[in-house]
Amino acid sequence: RAEAPRFLACAHLKPKLDSLSTEEYIKYKGGEEMAKVIRFEDGGRKYEAVSFLNAGEKSVDGDTMIARTDAENGGGLGQEEGGLLWEHRWEHRAAWPEELKRHHLVFTKWCSPVVPRLVRYFYWCGDRWDRDWNYLRRQWDGRCLVVRRRT
């Protein structure tokens, strides 16, 4: 199976990529293999929440999730950047796409200080965002998207 081209590595294409819709961007990222990319901004910073499952997969372990999403844009976010998003969740909520509420937003570099194999995730709970920890050894499914910076 041919690997999708790495368009983000080409600096001359960045202005064009920023203007693409989510659906057009998915095509650039390899169609079915990158099942979902949700772009959003918060306080002037650009983010993307990305899928990590290949076509036909129901879930993968946390190490596979990280390996698939760490190659671009510095990978998943840590405590500093994730903490800013948590603090801004009400203030900038209008800038967050409604579609994010259907997913668990995973911060793969925000680890528990007590158990380093636990990572932070946000989820929509009725009328507000909440957060929790989950083990990387567990299976992560299509509800989960890894949050990372978009350049």
Side-chain angles (χ1 to χ4, degrees):
R1 188 169 80 195
E3 188 173 320
R6 299 237 176 243
F7 288 96
L8 290 181
C10 303
H12 66 281
L13 291 177
K14 282 193 177 194
K16 182 178 179 179
L17 288 175
D18 281 343
S19 66
L20 294 179
S21 69
T22 298
E23 292 77 22
E24 292 168 327
Y25 184 74
I26 290 169
K27 289 178 187 173
Y28 265 73
K29 294 297 291 172
E32 285 187 68
E33 291 203 17
M34 185 60 71
K36 186 170 293 282
V37 177
I38 303 172
R39 295 170 158 196
F40 65 105
E41 293 189 24
D42 185 274
R45 296 173 186 230
K46 295 179 179 182
Y47 298 96
E48 59 186 8
V50 299
S51 174
F52 46 85
L53 296 177
N54 288 332
E57 287 182 326
K58 293 188 186 287
S59 65
V60 296
D61 63 49
D63 292 322
T64 302
M65 170 180 65
I66 291 170
R68 290 181 181 175
T69 57
D70 253 11
E72 294 181 24
N73 299 339
L77 300 180
Q79 181 174 355
E80 184 176 338
E81 195 86 24
L84 285 173
L85 283 170
W86 181 252
E87 289 173 14
H88 296 164
R89 69 192 182 281
W90 294 112
E91 182 183 342
H92 301 145
R93 69 182 174 269
W96 290 25
E98 193 71 20
E99 188 178 4
L100 286 176
K101 293 178 181 178
R102 295 195 297 267
H103 298 280
H104 294 182
L105 307 179
V106 183
F107 298 84
T108 57
K109 293 181 181 166
W110 187 350
C111 300
S112 164
V114 178
V115 182
R117 298 283 294 165
L118 283 173
V119 294
R120 180 67 82 186
Y121 69 96
F122 300 169
Y123 62 97
W124 185 253
C125 183
D127 61 349
R128 63 183 170 80
W129 285 99
D130 207 345
R131 61 185 178 172
D132 204 352
W133 301 100
N134 202 353
Y135 286 99
L136 287 172
R137 72 172 182 253
R138 293 205 173 137
Q139 293 292 300
W140 296 77
D141 62 26
R143 293 175 301 168
C144 304
L145 300 176
V146 173
V147 181
R148 60 188 186 192
R149 288 293 295 267
R150 181 169 52 99
T151 55

